PDB file of all heavy atoms in Angstrom:
ATOM      1  N   GLU A  27     -38.559 -19.243  20.929  1.00  0.00           N
ATOM      2  CA  GLU A  27     -39.673 -18.303  20.925  1.00  0.00           C
ATOM      3  C   GLU A  27     -39.161 -16.897  21.200  1.00  0.00           C
ATOM      4  O   GLU A  27     -39.621 -15.927  20.643  1.00  0.00           O
ATOM      5  CB  GLU A  27     -40.714 -18.719  21.965  1.00  0.00           C
ATOM      6  CG  GLU A  27     -41.641 -19.799  21.397  1.00  0.00           C
ATOM      7  CD  GLU A  27     -42.271 -20.659  22.461  1.00  0.00           C
ATOM      8  OE1 GLU A  27     -42.392 -20.188  23.602  1.00  0.00           O
ATOM      9  OE2 GLU A  27     -42.629 -21.804  22.143  1.00  0.00           O
ATOM     10  N   ASP A  28     -38.131 -16.836  22.090  1.00  0.00           N
ATOM     11  CA  ASP A  28     -37.525 -15.539  22.398  1.00  0.00           C
ATOM     12  C   ASP A  28     -36.952 -14.905  21.138  1.00  0.00           C
ATOM     13  O   ASP A  28     -37.164 -13.748  20.848  1.00  0.00           O
ATOM     14  CB  ASP A  28     -36.348 -15.717  23.385  1.00  0.00           C
ATOM     15  CG  ASP A  28     -36.817 -15.601  24.816  1.00  0.00           C
ATOM     16  OD1 ASP A  28     -38.021 -15.382  25.013  1.00  0.00           O
ATOM     17  OD2 ASP A  28     -35.980 -15.749  25.718  1.00  0.00           O
ATOM     18  N   VAL A  29     -36.186 -15.735  20.396  1.00  0.00           N
ATOM     19  CA  VAL A  29     -35.519 -15.197  19.203  1.00  0.00           C
ATOM     20  C   VAL A  29     -36.558 -14.664  18.229  1.00  0.00           C
ATOM     21  O   VAL A  29     -36.478 -13.559  17.729  1.00  0.00           O
ATOM     22  CB  VAL A  29     -34.679 -16.300  18.507  1.00  0.00           C
ATOM     23  CG1 VAL A  29     -34.134 -15.795  17.191  1.00  0.00           C
ATOM     24  CG2 VAL A  29     -33.558 -16.736  19.401  1.00  0.00           C
ATOM     25  N   ARG A  30     -37.617 -15.512  18.004  1.00  0.00           N
ATOM     26  CA  ARG A  30     -38.623 -15.067  17.031  1.00  0.00           C
ATOM     27  C   ARG A  30     -39.428 -13.913  17.603  1.00  0.00           C
ATOM     28  O   ARG A  30     -39.752 -12.972  16.919  1.00  0.00           O
ATOM     29  CB  ARG A  30     -39.543 -16.228  16.670  1.00  0.00           C
ATOM     30  CG  ARG A  30     -38.781 -17.260  15.866  1.00  0.00           C
ATOM     31  CD  ARG A  30     -39.573 -18.508  15.708  1.00  0.00           C
ATOM     32  NE  ARG A  30     -38.686 -19.654  15.765  1.00  0.00           N
ATOM     33  CZ  ARG A  30     -39.123 -20.886  15.590  1.00  0.00           C
ATOM     34  NH1 ARG A  30     -40.382 -21.130  15.389  1.00  0.00           N
ATOM     35  NH2 ARG A  30     -38.265 -21.868  15.635  1.00  0.00           N
ATOM     36  N   GLY A  31     -39.718 -14.032  18.926  1.00  0.00           N
ATOM     37  CA  GLY A  31     -40.505 -12.988  19.577  1.00  0.00           C
ATOM     38  C   GLY A  31     -39.790 -11.659  19.524  1.00  0.00           C
ATOM     39  O   GLY A  31     -40.377 -10.644  19.182  1.00  0.00           O
ATOM     40  N   SER A  32     -38.477 -11.689  19.796  1.00  0.00           N
ATOM     41  CA  SER A  32     -37.743 -10.426  19.830  1.00  0.00           C
ATOM     42  C   SER A  32     -37.766  -9.780  18.456  1.00  0.00           C
ATOM     43  O   SER A  32     -37.771  -8.575  18.319  1.00  0.00           O
ATOM     44  CB  SER A  32     -36.307 -10.639  20.297  1.00  0.00           C
ATOM     45  OG  SER A  32     -35.589 -11.326  19.321  1.00  0.00           O
ATOM     46  N   GLU A  33     -37.811 -10.645  17.427  1.00  0.00           N
ATOM     47  CA  GLU A  33     -37.868 -10.063  16.092  1.00  0.00           C
ATOM     48  C   GLU A  33     -39.212  -9.428  15.807  1.00  0.00           C
ATOM     49  O   GLU A  33     -39.286  -8.329  15.290  1.00  0.00           O
ATOM     50  CB  GLU A  33     -37.615 -11.136  15.056  1.00  0.00           C
ATOM     51  CG  GLU A  33     -36.165 -11.268  14.806  1.00  0.00           C
ATOM     52  CD  GLU A  33     -35.865 -12.465  13.991  1.00  0.00           C
ATOM     53  OE1 GLU A  33     -36.753 -12.917  13.282  1.00  0.00           O
ATOM     54  OE2 GLU A  33     -34.741 -12.933  14.082  1.00  0.00           O
ATOM     55  N   SER A  34     -40.283 -10.170  16.218  1.00  0.00           N
ATOM     56  CA  SER A  34     -41.573  -9.583  15.874  1.00  0.00           C
ATOM     57  C   SER A  34     -41.767  -8.261  16.617  1.00  0.00           C
ATOM     58  O   SER A  34     -42.486  -7.397  16.150  1.00  0.00           O
ATOM     59  CB  SER A  34     -42.709 -10.558  16.141  1.00  0.00           C
ATOM     60  OG  SER A  34     -42.644 -10.960  17.475  1.00  0.00           O
ATOM     61  N   ASN A  35     -41.061  -8.116  17.763  1.00  0.00           N
ATOM     62  CA  ASN A  35     -41.156  -6.832  18.455  1.00  0.00           C
ATOM     63  C   ASN A  35     -40.460  -5.723  17.687  1.00  0.00           C
ATOM     64  O   ASN A  35     -40.871  -4.578  17.732  1.00  0.00           O
ATOM     65  CB  ASN A  35     -40.490  -6.912  19.840  1.00  0.00           C
ATOM     66  CG  ASN A  35     -41.344  -7.734  20.767  1.00  0.00           C
ATOM     67  OD1 ASN A  35     -42.516  -7.934  20.497  1.00  0.00           O
ATOM     68  ND2 ASN A  35     -40.752  -8.201  21.850  1.00  0.00           N
ATOM     69  N   THR A  36     -39.373  -6.084  17.036  1.00  0.00           N
ATOM     70  CA  THR A  36     -38.597  -5.036  16.377  1.00  0.00           C
ATOM     71  C   THR A  36     -38.985  -4.881  14.908  1.00  0.00           C
ATOM     72  O   THR A  36     -38.671  -3.887  14.295  1.00  0.00           O
ATOM     73  CB  THR A  36     -37.085  -5.334  16.456  1.00  0.00           C
ATOM     74  OG1 THR A  36     -36.893  -6.633  15.931  1.00  0.00           O
ATOM     75  CG2 THR A  36     -36.563  -5.261  17.862  1.00  0.00           C
ATOM     76  N   THR A  37     -39.671  -5.869  14.363  1.00  0.00           N
ATOM     77  CA  THR A  37     -39.922  -5.857  12.927  1.00  0.00           C
ATOM     78  C   THR A  37     -40.635  -4.602  12.464  1.00  0.00           C
ATOM     79  O   THR A  37     -40.378  -4.121  11.389  1.00  0.00           O
ATOM     80  CB  THR A  37     -40.807  -7.045  12.486  1.00  0.00           C
ATOM     81  OG1 THR A  37     -41.267  -7.707  13.623  1.00  0.00           O
ATOM     82  CG2 THR A  37     -40.112  -7.945  11.556  1.00  0.00           C
ATOM     83  N   ARG A  38     -41.554  -4.147  13.257  1.00  0.00           N
ATOM     84  CA  ARG A  38     -42.400  -3.071  12.760  1.00  0.00           C
ATOM     85  C   ARG A  38     -41.713  -1.712  12.745  1.00  0.00           C
ATOM     86  O   ARG A  38     -42.216  -0.784  12.160  1.00  0.00           O
ATOM     87  CB  ARG A  38     -43.705  -2.987  13.563  1.00  0.00           C
ATOM     88  CG  ARG A  38     -44.548  -4.256  13.551  1.00  0.00           C
ATOM     89  CD  ARG A  38     -44.940  -4.666  12.138  1.00  0.00           C
ATOM     90  NE  ARG A  38     -44.243  -5.873  11.745  1.00  0.00           N
ATOM     91  CZ  ARG A  38     -44.167  -6.332  10.505  1.00  0.00           C
ATOM     92  NH1 ARG A  38     -44.735  -5.718   9.526  1.00  0.00           N
ATOM     93  NH2 ARG A  38     -43.503  -7.439  10.244  1.00  0.00           N
ATOM     94  N   ARG A  39     -40.583  -1.579  13.451  1.00  0.00           N
ATOM     95  CA  ARG A  39     -39.903  -0.276  13.469  1.00  0.00           C
ATOM     96  C   ARG A  39     -39.110  -0.082  12.183  1.00  0.00           C
ATOM     97  O   ARG A  39     -38.428  -1.004  11.725  1.00  0.00           O
ATOM     98  CB  ARG A  39     -38.924  -0.214  14.647  1.00  0.00           C
ATOM     99  CG  ARG A  39     -39.584   0.292  15.910  1.00  0.00           C
ATOM    100  CD  ARG A  39     -38.557   0.558  16.957  1.00  0.00           C
ATOM    101  NE  ARG A  39     -37.657  -0.575  17.134  1.00  0.00           N
ATOM    102  CZ  ARG A  39     -36.590  -0.559  17.915  1.00  0.00           C
ATOM    103  NH1 ARG A  39     -36.291   0.535  18.583  1.00  0.00           N
ATOM    104  NH2 ARG A  39     -35.813  -1.613  18.039  1.00  0.00           N
ATOM    105  N   THR A  40     -39.179   1.128  11.636  1.00  0.00           N
ATOM    106  CA  THR A  40     -38.347   1.360  10.458  1.00  0.00           C
ATOM    107  C   THR A  40     -36.902   1.520  10.927  1.00  0.00           C
ATOM    108  O   THR A  40     -36.641   1.769  12.113  1.00  0.00           O
ATOM    109  CB  THR A  40     -38.752   2.641   9.699  1.00  0.00           C
ATOM    110  OG1 THR A  40     -38.492   3.755  10.552  1.00  0.00           O
ATOM    111  CG2 THR A  40     -40.202   2.630   9.289  1.00  0.00           C
ATOM    112  N   PHE A  41     -35.999   1.410   9.967  1.00  0.00           N
ATOM    113  CA  PHE A  41     -34.566   1.540  10.251  1.00  0.00           C
ATOM    114  C   PHE A  41     -34.294   2.903  10.892  1.00  0.00           C
ATOM    115  O   PHE A  41     -33.570   3.013  11.873  1.00  0.00           O
ATOM    116  CB  PHE A  41     -33.822   1.395   8.928  1.00  0.00           C
ATOM    117  CG  PHE A  41     -32.327   1.461   9.028  1.00  0.00           C
ATOM    118  CD1 PHE A  41     -31.618   0.420   9.582  1.00  0.00           C
ATOM    119  CD2 PHE A  41     -31.646   2.559   8.535  1.00  0.00           C
ATOM    120  CE1 PHE A  41     -30.225   0.470   9.652  1.00  0.00           C
ATOM    121  CE2 PHE A  41     -30.250   2.620   8.592  1.00  0.00           C
ATOM    122  CZ  PHE A  41     -29.549   1.564   9.158  1.00  0.00           C
ATOM    123  N   GLN A  42     -34.922   3.922  10.339  1.00  0.00           N
ATOM    124  CA  GLN A  42     -34.691   5.272  10.852  1.00  0.00           C
ATOM    125  C   GLN A  42     -35.229   5.437  12.269  1.00  0.00           C
ATOM    126  O   GLN A  42     -34.565   6.022  13.129  1.00  0.00           O
ATOM    127  CB  GLN A  42     -35.358   6.282   9.930  1.00  0.00           C
ATOM    128  CG  GLN A  42     -34.678   7.621  10.024  1.00  0.00           C
ATOM    129  CD  GLN A  42     -35.262   8.610   9.054  1.00  0.00           C
ATOM    130  OE1 GLN A  42     -35.828   8.228   8.037  1.00  0.00           O
ATOM    131  NE2 GLN A  42     -35.149   9.880   9.375  1.00  0.00           N
ATOM    132  N   GLU A  43     -36.397   4.874  12.525  1.00  0.00           N
ATOM    133  CA  GLU A  43     -36.956   4.941  13.887  1.00  0.00           C
ATOM    134  C   GLU A  43     -36.042   4.236  14.880  1.00  0.00           C
ATOM    135  O   GLU A  43     -35.791   4.729  15.976  1.00  0.00           O
ATOM    136  CB  GLU A  43     -38.353   4.291  13.929  1.00  0.00           C
ATOM    137  CG  GLU A  43     -39.444   5.147  13.336  1.00  0.00           C
ATOM    138  CD  GLU A  43     -40.709   4.363  12.997  1.00  0.00           C
ATOM    139  OE1 GLU A  43     -40.755   3.127  13.187  1.00  0.00           O
ATOM    140  OE2 GLU A  43     -41.649   5.006  12.530  1.00  0.00           O
ATOM    141  N   MET A  44     -35.544   3.073  14.462  1.00  0.00           N
ATOM    142  CA  MET A  44     -34.647   2.314  15.335  1.00  0.00           C
ATOM    143  C   MET A  44     -33.389   3.139  15.633  1.00  0.00           C
ATOM    144  O   MET A  44     -32.969   3.282  16.776  1.00  0.00           O
ATOM    145  CB  MET A  44     -34.281   0.991  14.637  1.00  0.00           C
ATOM    146  CG  MET A  44     -33.338   0.073  15.364  1.00  0.00           C
ATOM    147  SD  MET A  44     -31.597   0.468  15.167  1.00  0.00           S
ATOM    148  CE  MET A  44     -31.312   0.085  13.446  1.00  0.00           C
ATOM    149  N   GLN A  45     -32.822   3.738  14.563  1.00  0.00           N
ATOM    150  CA  GLN A  45     -31.600   4.541  14.732  1.00  0.00           C
ATOM    151  C   GLN A  45     -31.846   5.714  15.681  1.00  0.00           C
ATOM    152  O   GLN A  45     -31.058   5.982  16.571  1.00  0.00           O
ATOM    153  CB  GLN A  45     -31.145   5.098  13.374  1.00  0.00           C
ATOM    154  CG  GLN A  45     -30.513   4.070  12.465  1.00  0.00           C
ATOM    155  CD  GLN A  45     -28.985   4.153  12.454  1.00  0.00           C
ATOM    156  OE1 GLN A  45     -28.397   4.838  13.253  1.00  0.00           O
ATOM    157  NE2 GLN A  45     -28.355   3.434  11.560  1.00  0.00           N
ATOM    158  N   GLU A  46     -32.975   6.416  15.457  1.00  0.00           N
ATOM    159  CA  GLU A  46     -33.247   7.605  16.277  1.00  0.00           C
ATOM    160  C   GLU A  46     -33.455   7.237  17.742  1.00  0.00           C
ATOM    161  O   GLU A  46     -32.937   7.903  18.642  1.00  0.00           O
ATOM    162  CB  GLU A  46     -34.471   8.352  15.726  1.00  0.00           C
ATOM    163  CG  GLU A  46     -34.096   9.178  14.502  1.00  0.00           C
ATOM    164  CD  GLU A  46     -35.304   9.694  13.740  1.00  0.00           C
ATOM    165  OE1 GLU A  46     -36.426   9.553  14.246  1.00  0.00           O
ATOM    166  OE2 GLU A  46     -35.100  10.215  12.617  1.00  0.00           O
ATOM    167  N   GLU A  47     -34.200   6.153  17.968  1.00  0.00           N
ATOM    168  CA  GLU A  47     -34.471   5.718  19.346  1.00  0.00           C
ATOM    169  C   GLU A  47     -33.173   5.338  20.059  1.00  0.00           C
ATOM    170  O   GLU A  47     -32.914   5.758  21.182  1.00  0.00           O
ATOM    171  CB  GLU A  47     -35.416   4.519  19.265  1.00  0.00           C
ATOM    172  CG  GLU A  47     -36.096   4.184  20.565  1.00  0.00           C
ATOM    173  CD  GLU A  47     -37.015   2.976  20.382  1.00  0.00           C
ATOM    174  OE1 GLU A  47     -37.841   3.002  19.447  1.00  0.00           O
ATOM    175  OE2 GLU A  47     -36.870   2.015  21.149  1.00  0.00           O
ATOM    176  N   ARG A  48     -32.349   4.581  19.370  1.00  0.00           N
ATOM    177  CA  ARG A  48     -31.082   4.139  19.967  1.00  0.00           C
ATOM    178  C   ARG A  48     -30.127   5.313  20.183  1.00  0.00           C
ATOM    179  O   ARG A  48     -29.421   5.369  21.173  1.00  0.00           O
ATOM    180  CB  ARG A  48     -30.417   3.094  19.069  1.00  0.00           C
ATOM    181  CG  ARG A  48     -31.163   1.798  18.954  1.00  0.00           C
ATOM    182  CD  ARG A  48     -30.677   0.834  19.992  1.00  0.00           C
ATOM    183  NE  ARG A  48     -31.378  -0.424  19.990  1.00  0.00           N
ATOM    184  CZ  ARG A  48     -31.366  -1.274  20.996  1.00  0.00           C
ATOM    185  NH1 ARG A  48     -30.689  -1.002  22.092  1.00  0.00           N
ATOM    186  NH2 ARG A  48     -32.019  -2.402  20.940  1.00  0.00           N
ATOM    187  N   GLN A  49     -30.110   6.225  19.226  1.00  0.00           N
ATOM    188  CA  GLN A  49     -29.228   7.398  19.345  1.00  0.00           C
ATOM    189  C   GLN A  49     -29.610   8.232  20.558  1.00  0.00           C
ATOM    190  O   GLN A  49     -28.756   8.681  21.317  1.00  0.00           O
ATOM    191  CB  GLN A  49     -29.350   8.265  18.094  1.00  0.00           C
ATOM    192  CG  GLN A  49     -28.218   8.042  17.111  1.00  0.00           C
ATOM    193  CD  GLN A  49     -28.405   8.837  15.826  1.00  0.00           C
ATOM    194  OE1 GLN A  49     -29.490   9.286  15.507  1.00  0.00           O
ATOM    195  NE2 GLN A  49     -27.333   8.991  15.084  1.00  0.00           N
TER     196      GLN A  49
END
Side-chain angles (χ1 to χ4, degrees):
E27 277 155 25
D28 269 0
V29 173
R30 291 170 217 183
S32 70
E33 272 170 23
S34 56
N35 288 342
T36 54
T37 8
R38 301 301 110 194
R39 272 190 310 174
T40 65
F41 182 72
Q42 205 176 335
E43 284 163 358
M44 179 277 291
Q45 286 259 10
E46 282 168 9
E47 196 180 308
R48 294 268 178 198
Q49 260 176 342

